[in-house]
Amino acid sequence: QSSGSKIENNQQEQKRLKEEIQFLQSKINQGASIVPLSGTLTLEYGKTSENIYAGMDEEYRRYQPAIITWYKTTMHAFERGADWQNMGGIENDLNGGLYHFKEKFNPTIEEYLGEFTMPTHPLYSLLRIALDFRKALRTKHHRR
């Protein structure tokens, strides 16, 4: 690598770090001293742990807080005796963002049939027609 590109890389890194300091200083000036970066809502039942919901503060995305949060959630589940920790679903192919995030944890991917509707009421067919009609009207109305 030439010294010119090394100097350029160092200058870019210095610029990035200055921007980082400005960002953090602005948060401190706004009164932030402790900031929740990310979290999961997890249910534990028997030997299973299920991640029901996860989220993070987008302003702090650069720190990738979701990685440590999911890791700690999983480790907590296993420490409490879980045999299984379900991270939730991914897209239908292996090119989506959820898959690329979750693959960092070396998951076992189980494929299920998918969602389906099981009518249990005798008037289900009539209700389905009415709901589809309502949906069509709303779609038509919102396109105007």
Side-chain angles (χ1 to χ4, degrees), residues 5-144:
S5 63
K6 284 184 181 182
I7 291 170
E8 192 174 300
N9 286 345
N10 285 336
Q11 288 172 338
Q12 287 176 349
E13 181 64 7
Q14 187 176 28
K15 179 179 181 249
R16 187 192 68 76
L17 289 171
K18 283 181 182 178
E19 289 171 356
E20 183 73 15
I21 290 168
Q22 289 172 348
F23 168 76
L24 292 172
Q25 189 60 56
S26 74
K27 293 300 177 186
I28 291 168
N29 293 346
Q30 294 169 16
S33 59
I34 297 176
V35 180
L37 301 179
S38 69
T40 60
L41 174 62
T42 306
L43 296 177
E44 294 178 355
Y45 182 77
K47 295 286 187 175
T48 301
S49 172
E50 299 270 343
N51 278 11
I52 303 301
Y53 184 80
M56 74 174 171
D57 188 328
E58 288 292 325
E59 284 191 289
Y60 296 93
R61 176 181 213 93
R62 68 186 86 184
Y63 301 118
Q64 300 183 21
I67 294 172
I68 189 72
T69 302
W70 283 64
Y71 172 78
K72 290 285 191 175
T73 298
T74 302
M75 294 310 297
H76 177 75
F78 292 140
E79 287 166 5
R80 290 179 47 96
D83 292 334
W84 186 255
Q85 209 285 321
N86 186 340
M87 298 179 77
I90 58 173
E91 301 87 352
N92 283 337
D93 62 50
L94 301 181
N95 292 320
L98 276 176
Y99 172 73
H100 287 300
F101 172 75
K102 292 176 182 180
E103 76 176 333
K104 293 174 177 74
F105 301 95
N106 193 25
T108 298
I109 298 173
E110 294 181 340
E111 189 171 359
Y112 294 99
L113 182 61
E115 295 180 5
F116 60 91
T117 302
M118 182 186 308
T120 58
H121 193 277
L123 296 177
Y124 174 79
S125 300
L126 186 60
L127 178 61
R128 186 76 256 162
I129 291 168
L131 289 173
D132 289 344
F133 180 69
R134 179 177 179 238
K135 184 177 180 181
L137 286 177
R138 290 180 121 187
T139 303
K140 185 178 176 182
H141 176 72
H142 288 293
R143 288 186 184 163
R144 289 186 206 170

